Amino acid sequence: MAYSYQHKTLHCGQVSLADIAASAGTPCYVYSADDILERYHAYDQAFGDHPHQVCYAVKANSNLSLLRLLAAAGAGFDIVSGGELYRVLQAGGDPTKTVFAGVGKTAEEIEYALANKIHTFNCESEAELELIDGLARKHGVTARVALRVNPDVDASTHPYISTGLREHKFGVDISEVEAVYARAKRLGHIALEGVSCHIGSQLLDTDPMMETVDKMLALVGRLRSNGIPIRHLDLGGGLGVAYKPQDKAPSIAEVIGAIGRKVEGHDLEIMVEPGRSIVGAAGVLLTRVLFRKQTPRKEFIVVDAAMNDLIRPALYQSHHEIIPVEEPCEEQRMLADVVGPVCETGDFLARNREMPAVLPGALMAVCTAGAYGFVLSSNYNSRPRVPEVLVEGATWRIIRRRETLEDLIRGE
Ligand SMILES: *Cc1c(COP(=O)(O)O)cnc(C)c1O
């Protein structure tokens, strides 16, 4: 557990969140480096001797310092844009351990990735295969490609982050994959060496994932018997984290262990692309209570963080625990909406939440905010984006400074 009360103050590892807030100000994201590395190693070690590569999904949290941390630990990367490749390179990440996903890659992005010799393009359509082949020919190289398969499995998660059903825009329908590989054999500048999939995110039930592994292994067998020399299977990301106290996050060691047993003897390198499960629980958003506001119907806690800083409650109706940084002495509770200053009714961090009673000035931690938090933040309402802090052991440092008012108008 990265976060715990010590002497009645919430700490990240050995560092007091009150100290960080006093110095860095609020709102502010805080991440635990130790927690991130522990989860990365949990993935890596669970594979044991089986050939594998853990490719951290950059989109979950793309701060350069986090990428540098993971690159140094041996991680590869899963990117979804040229911008993410730029970040990986700037962080010293290894492009030859990087896979590129996404339904809408542009020619410019593909050429950038070819020039940097990425490991594999996870290709989402036949038209994209042809585009990659043409650009690879133009540059006199061969592009390694894995078709992203849509396995038609229901991930049972929020509709916006479910991606593996036939009606979704992602991948090539599993029933058409063999024909696509057969037709792609004539493309001379792509090497069809892999298959990939990603059925969705925030999976708390891992049965759909296991069903996917079975379907993909059967597909690999069929492709190989059609003469396509498949060497790697990329199973995507998606393991969930516990946002609510009653949620039970799947154990990384157990899930990867189970996958390892399924793929044993198949002579396949296995790749995974975890994002949320590596960084989600490692982060909090620190915010300060500005006001308590009682209306005839409701009580509101107005805090200094808003939907532009953390959009997950507004976008996905997601739950984040919100806890006081100073452990409350008497258990006085209140029922309130926790809202920010943005001029939208959708600007809430929690609704109808029963929580410890807090007063203006109190510091609060919005928990499990390390993934899809800062990366989805914006300047809406001309609010400067908040700083990010990395805690390593007993020390902490700012890994992205708070934006200034000048930053707000840069480029206009
Ligand atoms: C978003 C995404 C991931 C990461 O998903 P998490 O749920 O954060 O683990 C991995 N692969 C692809 C293709 C993605 O789009």
Side-chain angles (χ1 to χ4, degrees):
M1 247 311 264
Y3 295 88
S4 61
Y5 286 103
Q6 294 166 32
H7 309 294
K8 295 208 168 287
T9 300
L10 192 61
H11 281 60
C12 174
Q14 300 156 56
V15 178
S16 153
L17 293 180
D19 288 352
I20 293 177
S23 167
T26 57
C28 166
Y29 277 97
V30 179
Y31 312 121
S32 160
D34 298 340
D35 202 56
I36 291 169
L37 287 177
E38 187 181 313
R39 286 166 211 274
Y40 167 74
H41 289 305
Y43 271 100
D44 192 39
Q45 284 160 11
F47 278 106
D49 295 335
H50 194 95
H52 67 279
Q53 180 64 55
V54 180
C55 295
Y56 167 67
V58 173
K59 76 176 192 280
N61 187 324
S62 56
N63 185 287
L64 285 188
S65 297
L66 299 196
L67 301 185
R68 201 168 286 134
L69 195 71
L70 288 161
F77 297 94
D78 164 47
I79 57 168
V80 292
S81 70
E84 287 191 349
L85 176 56
Y86 179 72
R87 284 183 172 276
V88 166
L89 297 171
Q90 290 296 309
D94 184 350
T96 68
K97 294 182 187 171
T98 297
V99 297
F100 190 176
V103 288
K105 302 177 188 79
T106 65
E108 195 184 0
E109 290 176 311
I110 292 167
E111 291 188 296
Y112 182 40
L114 285 173
N116 283 288
K117 303 185 168 56
I118 64 161
H119 185 283
T120 293
F121 290 87
N122 286 343
C123 183
E124 305 228 8
S125 64
E126 214 160 348
E128 186 194 329
L129 273 182
E130 289 179 11
L131 178 61
I132 295 172
D133 180 66
L135 293 169
R137 176 180 310 124
K138 176 176 151 195
H139 294 282
V141 294
T142 300
R144 224 172 338 183
V145 168
L147 211 59
R148 172 157 173 192
V149 177
N150 185 326
D152 197 28
V153 167
D154 186 353
S156 325
T157 183
H158 189 278
Y160 289 4
I161 53 175
S162 181
T163 54
L165 276 177
R166 200 157 265 177
E167 61 260 37
H168 297 143
K169 71 176 176 180
F170 298 99
V172 174
D173 195 278
I174 192 158
S175 65
E176 296 169 0
V177 168
E178 286 161 83
V180 173
Y181 274 90
R183 284 197 289 275
K185 273 198 208 167
R186 72 183 160 77
L187 303 173
H189 287 262
I190 58 175
L192 287 166
E193 295 183 350
V195 280
S196 73
C197 60
H198 169 74
I199 59 169
S201 197
Q202 184 51 15
L203 311 179
L204 292 177
D205 172 9
T206 55
D207 290 350
M209 183 95 149
M210 294 305 154
E211 185 189 338
T212 302
V213 178
D214 291 336
K215 281 190 162 186
M216 294 298 284
L217 284 175
L219 174 68
V220 168
R222 292 197 299 275
L223 289 170
R224 282 175 167 172
S225 59
N226 295 347
I228 314 278
I230 299 297
R231 287 160 47 161
H232 83 257
L233 169 61
D234 182 339
L235 293 168
L239 290 196
V241 298
Y243 286 108
K244 297 179 185 164
Q246 68 269 28
D247 286 346
K248 205 176 162 321
S251 143
I252 293 168
E254 281 172 24
V255 173
I256 299 301
I259 290 175
R261 287 189 293 279
K262 280 185 187 291
V263 301
E264 215 177 281
H266 283 266
D267 188 25
L268 272 174
E269 178 179 4
I270 304 301
M271 303 174 84
V272 286
E273 305 168 347
R276 188 191 310 268
S277 53
I278 288 188
V279 293
V284 298
L285 173 62
L286 286 180
T287 182
R288 204 176 280 283
V289 178
L290 299 174
F291 306 106
R292 274 174 68 161
K293 176 168 174 176
Q294 181 74 55
T295 71
R297 290 201 165 249
K298 263 190 171 181
E299 176 144 22
F300 293 92
I301 299 174
V302 186
V303 298
D304 61 3
M307 67 187 291
N308 73 296
D309 304 309
L310 180 65
I311 204 173
R312 299 192 68 260
L315 186 59
Y316 310 113
Q317 297 79 47
S318 33
H319 177 106
H320 286 267
E321 282 290 295
I322 303 179
I323 58 177
V325 168
E326 299 302 338
E327 198 170 20
C329 334
E330 80 268 36
E331 262 302 282
Q332 213 189 332
R333 313 281 295 175
M334 66 189 296
L335 182 70
D337 281 15
V338 181
V339 300
V342 162
C343 301
E344 291 231 12
T345 300
D347 178 28
F348 55 87
L349 296 175
R351 275 187 156 166
N352 299 320
R353 184 69 60 83
E354 205 216 299
M355 53 192 286
V358 286
L359 294 172
L363 263 182
M364 313 272 278
V366 183
C367 300
T368 328
Y372 306 104
F374 183 87
V375 284
L376 277 161
S377 68
S378 77
N379 290 121
Y380 188 40
N381 277 210
S382 286
R383 290 166 52 84
R385 275 182 295 176
V386 308
E388 295 175 284
V389 162
L390 187 65
V391 175
E392 295 177 280
T395 64
W396 66 274
R397 65 195 163 96
I398 290 179
I399 55 172
R400 191 183 205 276
R401 64 166 174 76
R402 186 182 303 282
E403 286 180 349
T404 62
L405 296 178
E406 293 75 47
D407 288 331
L408 286 178
I409 56 167
R410 180 158 299 136
E412 290 183 21

